Amino acid sequence: RLLGLNRKTNLMISISFMFSGLFISNAQHFGWIVGAAWFPFTIYFYVKFCKNNDLLSGLLFVLSFYCMLSGGYPAFFIITAYILFGIFIWYLYTKIKDHSFSIKFILNNALIITLFLILSSVVLISSFELSYYLTRDDKFTVDFVKSYPLPYQGLISFLLPYATAGNVNFYGNDFSMVNCYIGIAILIFVFYAISVKNRLAISFFLIGLFLLSAALADIFPIRKALYYLPFMNTFRFPTVFRFFAYAFFIIAGG
């Protein structure tokens, strides 16, 4: 809706999102489902907050982001935090470029971050204290966080989702780590948008490709490079990145 898409398009890409690969193949992983389900709300309210300096949207963002943190798998929260930081930098750049920058934008962002930290303090503090007692805490090496990547064979799931439920030996991972399906119709619209050189769609598509490269950790060095960023060394399963990749593909198709 923030992109000004019509109602039928919104419905189509919403259906594509709800029945996408992760929601279908990871239905048993509640933390993954919860994190993925809160992702669009978190992004929506933060973008609305940045566009309009709307404090109500900021408060709803704080609530959504807290729900993602408290109920979801940590990787979803961490990756989303970096995407939010990218959105902040983009709006800061555009406001400076358009000579519409105000210190109020920085102060409002500082306010909602503070409110989020206060609301989430019980989760954050207990998590940091508990981390010292986790027996797996000392194993998060570069190689460890690259375990369970998206196999390149899994890319066939963009076209044939049920093929990934077949031969586990062929894919190297089970169904829950492979499926990337978003709907053939959306893919057609993605390639159409690129062919007509829609700049916004191309931008979303390139972001999606970067995140997909992180998911394909055995092929591309992106996940290894991300390891050295704060908190990116605290989770494994590079295949999680596939969700964020195809989420941007869906928006590009819209």
Side-chain angles (χ1 to χ4, degrees), residues 22 26 32 76 79 145-151 173-180 211-212 214-217 223 235-246:
L22 184 134
N26 293 94
W32 291 40
F76 286 86
I79 298 170
V145 299
K146 287 171 59 182
S147 56
Y148 295 97
L150 174 69
N173 271 325
D174 62 39
F175 184 58
S176 64
M177 299 294 177
V178 175
N179 199 343
C180 301
L211 293 166
L212 189 62
L216 295 162
R223 180 63 185 103
F235 66 90
R236 54 177 181 164
F237 300 116
T239 188
V240 169
F241 282 94
R242 84 186 195 270
F243 163 77
F244 298 93
Y246 72 57

Side-chain angles (χ1 to χ4, degrees), residues 19 28 32 66 91 104 138 146 151 157 176 181 199 218:
F19 294 102
Q28 74 277 24
W32 291 40
Y66 166 76
Y91 274 101
K104 185 179 179 182
D138 59 341
K146 287 171 59 182
S157 62
S176 64
Y181 191 62
R199 289 185 178 181
D218 277 351

